[in-house]
PDB file of all heavy atoms in Angstrom:
ATOM      1  N   THR A  30     -10.263 -13.221  -4.583  1.00 86.00           N
ATOM      2  CA  THR A  30      -9.715 -11.960  -4.125  1.00 86.00           C
ATOM      3  C   THR A  30      -8.814 -11.377  -5.200  1.00 86.00           C
ATOM      4  O   THR A  30      -8.545 -12.008  -6.219  1.00 86.00           O
ATOM      5  CB  THR A  30      -8.922 -12.175  -2.813  1.00 86.00           C
ATOM      6  OG1 THR A  30      -8.522 -10.916  -2.297  1.00 86.00           O
ATOM      7  CG2 THR A  30      -7.672 -13.007  -3.061  1.00 86.00           C
ATOM      8  N   TYR A  31      -8.355 -10.181  -4.931  1.00 92.00           N
ATOM      9  CA  TYR A  31      -7.384  -9.532  -5.797  1.00 92.00           C
ATOM     10  C   TYR A  31      -6.019  -9.551  -5.138  1.00 92.00           C
ATOM     11  O   TYR A  31      -5.907  -9.406  -3.913  1.00 92.00           O
ATOM     12  CB  TYR A  31      -7.796  -8.081  -6.079  1.00 92.00           C
ATOM     13  CG  TYR A  31      -8.949  -7.974  -7.055  1.00 92.00           C
ATOM     14  CD1 TYR A  31     -10.261  -8.005  -6.607  1.00 92.00           C
ATOM     15  CD2 TYR A  31      -8.709  -7.853  -8.422  1.00 92.00           C
ATOM     16  CE1 TYR A  31     -11.313  -7.910  -7.502  1.00 92.00           C
ATOM     17  CE2 TYR A  31      -9.756  -7.760  -9.316  1.00 92.00           C
ATOM     18  CZ  TYR A  31     -11.050  -7.789  -8.853  1.00 92.00           C
ATOM     19  OH  TYR A  31     -12.092  -7.705  -9.739  1.00 92.00           O
ATOM     20  N   LEU A  32      -4.992  -9.701  -5.956  1.00 94.00           N
ATOM     21  CA  LEU A  32      -3.611  -9.728  -5.478  1.00 94.00           C
ATOM     22  C   LEU A  32      -2.826  -8.670  -6.231  1.00 94.00           C
ATOM     23  O   LEU A  32      -3.005  -8.510  -7.444  1.00 94.00           O
ATOM     24  CB  LEU A  32      -3.014 -11.122  -5.700  1.00 94.00           C
ATOM     25  CG  LEU A  32      -3.752 -12.211  -4.922  1.00 94.00           C
ATOM     26  CD1 LEU A  32      -3.737 -13.520  -5.666  1.00 94.00           C
ATOM     27  CD2 LEU A  32      -3.165 -12.358  -3.532  1.00 94.00           C
ATOM     28  N   TYR A  33      -1.976  -7.967  -5.515  1.00 96.00           N
ATOM     29  CA  TYR A  33      -1.344  -6.764  -6.046  1.00 96.00           C
ATOM     30  C   TYR A  33       0.174  -6.821  -5.902  1.00 96.00           C
ATOM     31  O   TYR A  33       0.715  -7.467  -4.993  1.00 96.00           O
ATOM     32  CB  TYR A  33      -1.829  -5.526  -5.277  1.00 96.00           C
ATOM     33  CG  TYR A  33      -3.316  -5.307  -5.321  1.00 96.00           C
ATOM     34  CD1 TYR A  33      -4.168  -6.018  -4.479  1.00 96.00           C
ATOM     35  CD2 TYR A  33      -3.866  -4.390  -6.200  1.00 96.00           C
ATOM     36  CE1 TYR A  33      -5.532  -5.817  -4.524  1.00 96.00           C
ATOM     37  CE2 TYR A  33      -5.234  -4.175  -6.243  1.00 96.00           C
ATOM     38  CZ  TYR A  33      -6.062  -4.885  -5.407  1.00 96.00           C
ATOM     39  OH  TYR A  33      -7.418  -4.683  -5.452  1.00 96.00           O
ATOM     40  N   TRP A  34       0.824  -6.067  -6.773  1.00 97.00           N
ATOM     41  CA  TRP A  34       2.245  -5.783  -6.623  1.00 97.00           C
ATOM     42  C   TRP A  34       2.435  -4.273  -6.610  1.00 97.00           C
ATOM     43  O   TRP A  34       1.982  -3.565  -7.514  1.00 97.00           O
ATOM     44  CB  TRP A  34       3.065  -6.397  -7.753  1.00 97.00           C
ATOM     45  CG  TRP A  34       3.223  -7.885  -7.643  1.00 97.00           C
ATOM     46  CD1 TRP A  34       2.566  -8.847  -8.349  1.00 97.00           C
ATOM     47  CD2 TRP A  34       4.102  -8.585  -6.748  1.00 97.00           C
ATOM     48  NE1 TRP A  34       2.981 -10.090  -7.954  1.00 97.00           N
ATOM     49  CE2 TRP A  34       3.921  -9.966  -6.974  1.00 97.00           C
ATOM     50  CE3 TRP A  34       5.038  -8.173  -5.781  1.00 97.00           C
ATOM     51  CZ2 TRP A  34       4.632 -10.940  -6.274  1.00 97.00           C
ATOM     52  CZ3 TRP A  34       5.742  -9.143  -5.090  1.00 97.00           C
ATOM     53  CH2 TRP A  34       5.537 -10.503  -5.340  1.00 97.00           C
ATOM     54  N   TYR A  35       3.108  -3.800  -5.545  1.00 97.00           N
ATOM     55  CA  TYR A  35       3.454  -2.393  -5.417  1.00 97.00           C
ATOM     56  C   TYR A  35       4.969  -2.257  -5.368  1.00 97.00           C
ATOM     57  O   TYR A  35       5.671  -3.138  -4.868  1.00 97.00           O
ATOM     58  CB  TYR A  35       2.875  -1.797  -4.125  1.00 97.00           C
ATOM     59  CG  TYR A  35       1.404  -1.484  -4.177  1.00 97.00           C
ATOM     60  CD1 TYR A  35       0.455  -2.451  -3.895  1.00 97.00           C
ATOM     61  CD2 TYR A  35       0.966  -0.201  -4.507  1.00 97.00           C
ATOM     62  CE1 TYR A  35      -0.903  -2.150  -3.926  1.00 97.00           C
ATOM     63  CE2 TYR A  35      -0.386   0.114  -4.546  1.00 97.00           C
ATOM     64  CZ  TYR A  35      -1.309  -0.873  -4.248  1.00 97.00           C
ATOM     65  OH  TYR A  35      -2.653  -0.576  -4.294  1.00 97.00           O
ATOM     66  N   LYS A  36       5.451  -1.114  -5.841  1.00 97.00           N
ATOM     67  CA  LYS A  36       6.889  -0.806  -5.819  1.00 97.00           C
ATOM     68  C   LYS A  36       7.099   0.419  -4.934  1.00 97.00           C
ATOM     69  O   LYS A  36       6.350   1.399  -5.038  1.00 97.00           O
ATOM     70  CB  LYS A  36       7.377  -0.504  -7.240  1.00 97.00           C
ATOM     71  CG  LYS A  36       8.816  -0.038  -7.355  1.00 97.00           C
ATOM     72  CD  LYS A  36       9.148   0.318  -8.804  1.00 97.00           C
ATOM     73  CE  LYS A  36      10.577   0.822  -8.950  1.00 97.00           C
ATOM     74  NZ  LYS A  36      10.867   1.264 -10.351  1.00 97.00           N
ATOM     75  N   GLN A  37       8.104   0.354  -4.062  1.00 96.00           N
ATOM     76  CA  GLN A  37       8.412   1.487  -3.214  1.00 96.00           C
ATOM     77  C   GLN A  37       9.895   1.811  -3.311  1.00 96.00           C
ATOM     78  O   GLN A  37      10.741   0.991  -2.937  1.00 96.00           O
ATOM     79  CB  GLN A  37       8.029   1.226  -1.756  1.00 96.00           C
ATOM     80  CG  GLN A  37       8.212   2.439  -0.856  1.00 96.00           C
ATOM     81  CD  GLN A  37       7.748   2.203   0.571  1.00 96.00           C
ATOM     82  OE1 GLN A  37       7.867   1.113   1.099  1.00 96.00           O
ATOM     83  NE2 GLN A  37       7.205   3.242   1.201  1.00 96.00           N
ATOM     84  N   GLU A  38      10.209   2.995  -3.812  1.00 93.00           N
ATOM     85  CA  GLU A  38      11.588   3.460  -3.834  1.00 93.00           C
ATOM     86  C   GLU A  38      11.887   4.146  -2.509  1.00 93.00           C
ATOM     87  O   GLU A  38      10.966   4.544  -1.794  1.00 93.00           O
ATOM     88  CB  GLU A  38      11.794   4.376  -5.031  1.00 93.00           C
ATOM     89  CG  GLU A  38      11.571   3.621  -6.342  1.00 93.00           C
ATOM     90  CD  GLU A  38      11.855   4.449  -7.568  1.00 93.00           C
ATOM     91  OE1 GLU A  38      12.975   4.977  -7.692  1.00 93.00           O
ATOM     92  OE2 GLU A  38      10.956   4.570  -8.407  1.00 93.00           O
ATOM     93  N   PRO A  39      13.163   4.292  -2.171  1.00 87.00           N
ATOM     94  CA  PRO A  39      13.529   4.837  -0.847  1.00 87.00           C
ATOM     95  C   PRO A  39      12.857   6.172  -0.562  1.00 87.00           C
ATOM     96  O   PRO A  39      12.934   7.111  -1.357  1.00 87.00           O
ATOM     97  CB  PRO A  39      15.057   4.976  -0.947  1.00 87.00           C
ATOM     98  CG  PRO A  39      15.463   3.951  -1.945  1.00 87.00           C
ATOM     99  CD  PRO A  39      14.352   3.893  -2.955  1.00 87.00           C
ATOM    100  N   GLY A  40      12.193   6.256   0.583  1.00 83.00           N
ATOM    101  CA  GLY A  40      11.557   7.494   1.006  1.00 83.00           C
ATOM    102  C   GLY A  40      10.350   7.908   0.197  1.00 83.00           C
ATOM    103  O   GLY A  40       9.835   9.020   0.365  1.00 83.00           O
ATOM    104  N   ALA A  41       9.875   7.024  -0.665  1.00 87.00           N
ATOM    105  CA  ALA A  41       8.780   7.392  -1.563  1.00 87.00           C
ATOM    106  C   ALA A  41       7.518   6.601  -1.232  1.00 87.00           C
ATOM    107  O   ALA A  41       7.500   5.746  -0.349  1.00 87.00           O
ATOM    108  CB  ALA A  41       9.191   7.143  -3.009  1.00 87.00           C
ATOM    109  N   GLY A  42       6.457   6.922  -1.955  1.00 91.00           N
ATOM    110  CA  GLY A  42       5.189   6.242  -1.755  1.00 91.00           C
ATOM    111  C   GLY A  42       5.142   4.906  -2.459  1.00 91.00           C
ATOM    112  O   GLY A  42       6.129   4.431  -3.026  1.00 91.00           O
ATOM    113  N   LEU A  43       3.980   4.288  -2.414  1.00 95.00           N
ATOM    114  CA  LEU A  43       3.765   2.975  -3.019  1.00 95.00           C
ATOM    115  C   LEU A  43       3.163   3.160  -4.407  1.00 95.00           C
ATOM    116  O   LEU A  43       2.104   3.758  -4.559  1.00 95.00           O
ATOM    117  CB  LEU A  43       2.819   2.151  -2.150  1.00 95.00           C
ATOM    118  CG  LEU A  43       3.370   1.772  -0.783  1.00 95.00           C
ATOM    119  CD1 LEU A  43       2.257   1.458   0.188  1.00 95.00           C
ATOM    120  CD2 LEU A  43       4.287   0.574  -0.906  1.00 95.00           C
ATOM    121  N   GLN A  44       3.847   2.605  -5.390  1.00 96.00           N
ATOM    122  CA  GLN A  44       3.390   2.711  -6.770  1.00 96.00           C
ATOM    123  C   GLN A  44       2.726   1.401  -7.169  1.00 96.00           C
ATOM    124  O   GLN A  44       3.359   0.335  -7.114  1.00 96.00           O
ATOM    125  CB  GLN A  44       4.581   3.002  -7.685  1.00 96.00           C
ATOM    126  CG  GLN A  44       4.233   3.064  -9.155  1.00 96.00           C
ATOM    127  CD  GLN A  44       5.469   3.074 -10.043  1.00 96.00           C
ATOM    128  OE1 GLN A  44       6.600   3.178  -9.554  1.00 96.00           O
ATOM    129  NE2 GLN A  44       5.263   2.967 -11.336  1.00 96.00           N
TER     130      GLN A  44
END
Side-chain angles (χ1 to χ4, degrees):
Chain A
T30 187
Y31 285 88
L32 298 148
Y33 301 81
W34 286 103
Y35 283 86
K36 174 184 179 184
Q37 186 176 34
E38 297 184 56
L43 294 158
Q44 177 191 352

